[in-house]
Amino acid sequence: LLDWANPGCLGSAKHFQAEFTSPMTKGFRLDATKAELAAARKSQAKLNTLKQSWMIRRTKDGVISDQLPKKTDQVVFCGLSQFQMSVFNFLLSHPNTKLVLTAWERCTCGKKLPRSRCCYRKSGPQPQALLFQLMHIFLKVANHAALLLPKSTNSVAQA
């Protein structure tokens, strides 16, 4: 979008790919090396510096803060519905959830390694990746189980 608004401000597409896209894509993967992560952070900082010179950021503090009411937070605890509880129980019994819950326990072979890096290592989804996917699913169920439906809309299915 920035390049569309101001063509060439980030260099050519080939330059942008080499300078920013490739290092950040490699460096922000879960299995990236420390050197790749460092290169990604360096590229990200450089891109952020470039963007700041082209973008204007206004905050409400300097513009309308005197016109806004003070922010108040209210925390309301709600119990789960029976359906939400059944979905939670199903998710807790799912093999991927069990894999994540036991992945960082000490391996049963006696080595001082977590199970996911020793005898229980599997091909396929790794516990670190599954953890965030499962957290996302559990949050959806807690908010409203219909959020798990594909292409959910305001329909009878969500009631």
Side-chain angles (χ1 to χ4, degrees):
L1 185 60
L2 182 59
D3 190 62
W4 173 80
N6 193 357
C9 69
L10 299 173
S12 67
K14 189 175 181 180
H15 169 77
F16 188 82
Q17 178 74 26
E19 189 76 19
F20 303 108
T21 307
S22 292
M24 286 193 278
T25 302
K26 289 178 187 174
F28 292 133
R29 290 188 332 244
L30 284 175
D31 60 346
T33 65
K34 288 183 180 182
E36 289 172 330
L37 179 60
R41 287 182 176 157
K42 185 176 178 181
S43 293
Q44 183 181 32
K46 186 175 179 180
L47 180 61
N48 287 340
T49 302
L50 279 172
K51 286 188 314 183
Q52 285 176 353
S53 64
W54 295 101
M55 298 181 81
I56 298 171
R57 177 160 165 78
R58 288 191 342 191
T59 62
K60 63 183 177 189
D61 294 336
V63 181
I64 59 170
S65 62
D66 57 331
Q67 299 170 20
L68 296 173
K70 294 288 181 200
K71 180 180 174 184
T72 58
D73 290 324
Q74 291 183 331
V75 178
V76 179
F77 292 97
C78 305
L80 298 176
S81 70
Q82 287 292 80
F83 181 70
Q84 286 172 304
M85 287 296 291
S86 65
V87 174
F88 263 101
N89 288 330
F90 172 79
L91 289 171
L92 287 171
S93 66
H94 194 275
N96 284 347
T97 306
K98 291 181 180 182
L99 173 69
V100 169
L101 291 173
T102 60
W104 289 276
E105 291 177 359
R106 193 178 208 172
C107 188
T108 56
C109 71
K111 294 180 184 175
K112 294 183 179 183
L113 292 172
R115 296 174 90 173
S116 62
R117 295 186 183 206
C118 197
C119 301
Y120 293 88
R121 175 179 268 167
K122 296 168 118 182
S123 62
Q126 296 301 306
Q128 296 90 337
L130 287 173
L131 175 64
F132 290 108
Q133 292 172 4
L134 288 168
M135 286 173 55
H136 188 70
I137 292 169
F138 276 101
L139 284 170
K140 283 184 174 183
V141 173
N143 287 319
H144 198 296
L147 293 172
L148 295 175
L149 296 173
K151 297 184 181 180
S152 60
T153 60
N154 292 334
S155 67
V156 176
Q158 288 183 347

